[in-house]
Amino acid sequence: MSLSTVLGYAAKAVGQPLEPFTYEPSKLGEHDVRVSITHCGVCYTDIHGIDDYYAITIYPFVPGHEIVGYVSAVGSAAPALKEGDRVGIGWQGRSCMQCEWCLQGEEHLCRDIVRSGTWVPYGGFSTSVVVDSRFAYPIPEAMPSEVAAVLLCAGITVYSPLLKYAAQPSLKIGIIGVGGLGHLAIQFARALGYEVTAISSSPEKKEQALAFGADHFIVLEDQASLRQVEFGFDLLLCTAHGKINWEPLLEILKKNGRLVLLGFPSVALNPTDLVAHQLSIIGSFIGNRVAMREMLSFAQAHGIAPWIELMPMSQVNHAIQRVKENKARYRIVLFNDTVGADT
Ligand SMILES: [Zn+2]
Ligand SMILES: [Zn+2]
């Protein structure tokens, strides 16, 4: 393998296990940096990508978008970074910088978002990646790389809506799902001063949810407990995916309450409460660059960190299987054990 070749793990077709895949690195544009990858988290979005859930996947597909590594090459117009800098990259690796939303500083809503993903053309389950330097974030010095990796997608995904939709500290917030996103959402919500209730279908997660900072814990299927908190929440953050029984959840929102979807659950519901209680269902997608930088320093200042299982990247299929089976506690980060990783 030549020094410039990239070794990644790719799905060759829909739903296939990943297999080693070598390719030439992308050409470095003037704003770009090449980052030699040390760590990459495993996010459910990677699995959705492999399965072409979003109908945008191009195969061979190298997933991975919770990346930390070291800058190994710098474009001519990327003066903010230099070789050797430790940086992190989340789901977004670039944007058009000229559409209506980019010009408003909401570049995560870029009109060209499909081509803005870090995994275009190939993502972070690999030895290196090329991204726009403006989407490569310096990591606080004391923050471990595996911690930063998870914050770059899971962290920003929960932090951004907590700031945007819950601006008063006294609000009552319910976090649905205590997994990769949820266990971080509890920590951020607590640090932001909200009263936090964790709502999970796994009763065995109660102790850990309270340890992450939840004030209360409710089992999702426990109708009696849900009835006790009727009209109890200003905001529900749904981090769960799959099928969800929405009606009891709408009943625990206050009038004018908000349900924010962070994952991609199936949504089919009776609109009666939605309309009569003036509820809002809102989608929320990662966050902009300002929020990303704020989130990293907020997490560092408040000691917010994911629970991590570290695994070698060569075991990526095993890692994906654990995430699919809801066994990861709470996030898996792959470290790069690839011999001959490029420079
Ligand atoms: Zn993600
Ligand atoms: Zn744009």
Side-chain angles (χ1 to χ4, degrees):
M1 188 170 70
S2 84
L3 271 183
S4 62
T5 304
V6 185
L7 173 59
Y9 293 90
K12 298 280 172 66
V14 182
Q16 290 297 303
L18 305 190
E19 43 188 289
F21 171 58
T22 53
Y23 48 96
E24 291 305 309
S26 303
K27 211 168 139 272
L28 205 66
E30 57 174 359
H31 291 290
D32 291 345
V33 283
R34 180 170 298 126
V35 175
S36 188
I37 296 168
T38 60
H39 295 79
C40 189
V42 181
C43 173
Y44 213 93
T45 301
D46 294 314
I47 296 168
H48 276 331
I50 293 167
D51 294 339
D52 200 21
Y53 176 87
Y54 310 107
I56 59 170
T57 305
I58 295 166
Y59 300 91
F61 171 59
V62 177
H65 60 272
E66 292 188 343
I67 297 168
V68 171
Y70 292 90
V71 173
S72 58
V74 183
S76 59
L81 293 173
K82 60 182 189 310
E83 271 186 47
D85 285 351
R86 188 173 64 132
V87 295
I89 304 133
W91 186 88
Q92 186 170 17
R94 60 193 65 82
S95 82
C96 83
M97 295 288 186
Q98 56 193 15
C99 72
E100 182 177 343
W101 295 276
C102 281
L103 292 176
Q104 290 168 5
E106 302 275 45
E107 54 280 332
H108 62 299
L109 302 179
C110 178
R111 189 181 175 127
D112 205 12
I113 195 66
V114 169
R115 281 188 292 174
S116 301
T118 296
W119 60 37
V120 177
Y122 301 119
F125 296 166
S126 65
T127 49
S128 76
V129 72
V130 171
V131 297
D132 187 315
S133 60
R134 293 166 288 189
F135 292 84
Y137 304 90
I139 304 300
E141 206 178 340
M143 185 179 281
S145 292
E146 61 272 24
V147 166
V150 176
L151 291 174
L152 288 156
C153 179
I156 189 65
T157 297
V158 300
Y159 178 79
S160 181
L162 281 171
L163 277 192
K164 188 169 178 185
Y165 299 114
Q168 308 154 34
S170 57
L171 293 188
K172 293 188 176 176
I173 291 183
I175 310 289
I176 303 164
V178 181
L181 291 174
H183 87 297
L184 277 173
I186 294 169
Q187 295 181 57
F188 276 109
R190 177 60 178 255
L192 287 161
Y194 308 130
E195 185 176 332
V196 185
T197 300
I199 304 170
S200 167
S201 51
S202 311
E204 73 276 9
K205 287 181 176 172
K206 177 177 181 176
E207 207 174 308
Q208 285 167 349
L210 298 180
F212 292 135
D215 300 288
H216 317 282
F217 182 89
I218 295 176
V219 177
L220 184 56
E221 290 78 14
D222 181 353
Q223 301 297 326
S225 296
L226 285 176
R227 267 195 299 277
Q228 282 176 6
V229 290
E230 215 176 348
F231 299 114
F233 296 95
D234 300 280
L235 181 78
L236 291 174
L237 284 195
C238 182
T239 71
H241 48 83
K243 273 210 164 103
I244 292 170
N245 185 11
W246 296 104
E247 278 76 18
L249 294 175
L250 297 185
E251 287 168 9
I252 64 174
L253 273 173
K254 292 184 184 182
K255 307 279 176 118
N256 291 317
R258 289 166 161 154
L259 168 63
V260 181
L261 306 184
L262 305 181
F264 297 88
S266 309
V267 180
L269 48 81
N270 180 327
T272 306
D273 285 344
L274 185 72
V275 174
H277 300 180
Q278 290 195 177
L279 307 177
S280 307
I281 299 181
I282 304 165
S284 183
F285 179 58
I286 50 177
N288 63 22
R289 291 182 293 153
V290 173
M292 188 72 110
R293 281 189 285 268
E294 274 178 23
M295 180 278 301
L296 286 170
S297 59
F298 186 88
Q300 179 65 13
H302 292 270
I304 292 169
W307 272 28
I308 288 166
E309 295 181 19
L310 264 180
M311 291 173 62
M313 197 172 284
S314 53
Q315 289 182 25
V316 60
N317 287 312
H318 180 50
I320 286 172
Q321 200 54 36
R322 281 185 68 73
V323 174
K324 276 185 175 171
E325 291 169 2
N326 194 21
K327 286 182 177 160
R329 294 291 179 272
Y330 282 88
R331 199 69 153 183
I332 296 175
V333 176
L334 306 171
F335 64 87
N336 223 329
D337 60 337
T338 309
V339 178
D342 71 312
T343 51

Short mmCIF file of all heavy atoms in Angstrom, two decimals, residues 95-99 102 110-112, ligand 2:
data_model
loop_
_atom_site.label_atom_id
_atom_site.label_comp_id
_atom_site.label_asym_id
_atom_site.label_seq_id
_atom_site.Cartn_x
_atom_site.Cartn_y
_atom_site.Cartn_z
N SER A 95 -20.01 22.81 3.11
CA SER A 95 -21.31 23.29 2.67
C SER A 95 -21.08 24.24 1.50
O SER A 95 -19.94 24.62 1.21
CB SER A 95 -22.08 23.99 3.80
OG SER A 95 -21.66 25.32 3.95
N CYS A 96 -22.17 24.65 0.85
CA CYS A 96 -21.99 25.46 -0.36
C CYS A 96 -21.54 26.89 -0.03
O CYS A 96 -20.96 27.57 -0.84
CB CYS A 96 -23.28 25.47 -1.19
SG CYS A 96 -24.51 26.66 -0.65
N MET A 97 -21.82 27.33 1.21
CA MET A 97 -21.43 28.66 1.71
C MET A 97 -22.11 29.81 0.97
O MET A 97 -21.77 30.96 1.18
CB MET A 97 -19.90 28.85 1.66
CG MET A 97 -19.13 27.93 2.58
SD MET A 97 -19.34 28.40 4.30
CE MET A 97 -18.21 27.27 5.10
N GLN A 98 -23.08 29.51 0.10
CA GLN A 98 -23.71 30.62 -0.63
C GLN A 98 -25.23 30.52 -0.75
O GLN A 98 -25.85 31.42 -1.32
CB GLN A 98 -23.08 30.78 -2.01
CG GLN A 98 -23.12 29.52 -2.84
CD GLN A 98 -22.22 29.61 -4.06
OE1 GLN A 98 -21.37 30.48 -4.13
NE2 GLN A 98 -22.42 28.72 -5.01
N CYS A 99 -25.84 29.48 -0.23
CA CYS A 99 -27.30 29.40 -0.32
C CYS A 99 -27.91 30.26 0.79
O CYS A 99 -27.22 30.77 1.67
CB CYS A 99 -27.78 27.95 -0.22
SG CYS A 99 -27.63 27.24 1.43
N CYS A 102 -26.94 28.92 4.32
CA CYS A 102 -25.52 29.11 4.64
C CYS A 102 -25.24 30.58 4.96
O CYS A 102 -24.51 30.90 5.90
CB CYS A 102 -24.63 28.66 3.48
SG CYS A 102 -24.42 26.87 3.40
N CYS A 110 -27.86 23.68 4.81
CA CYS A 110 -27.45 23.98 3.43
C CYS A 110 -28.35 23.27 2.41
O CYS A 110 -28.71 22.11 2.56
CB CYS A 110 -26.00 23.53 3.21
SG CYS A 110 -25.43 23.83 1.53
N ARG A 111 -28.71 24.03 1.39
CA ARG A 111 -29.55 23.48 0.33
C ARG A 111 -28.90 22.25 -0.30
O ARG A 111 -29.58 21.33 -0.76
CB ARG A 111 -29.72 24.58 -0.73
CG ARG A 111 -30.72 24.24 -1.77
CD ARG A 111 -30.83 25.35 -2.79
NE ARG A 111 -31.73 24.90 -3.82
CZ ARG A 111 -32.80 25.57 -4.23
NH1 ARG A 111 -33.07 26.74 -3.73
NH2 ARG A 111 -33.58 25.08 -5.15
N ASP A 112 -27.58 22.22 -0.28
CA ASP A 112 -26.84 21.12 -0.89
C ASP A 112 -26.36 20.13 0.18
O ASP A 112 -25.27 19.58 0.09
CB ASP A 112 -25.63 21.70 -1.64
CG ASP A 112 -25.16 20.80 -2.75
OD1 ASP A 112 -25.89 19.85 -3.09
OD2 ASP A 112 -24.06 21.04 -3.27
ZN ZN B 2 -25.49 26.19 1.45
#
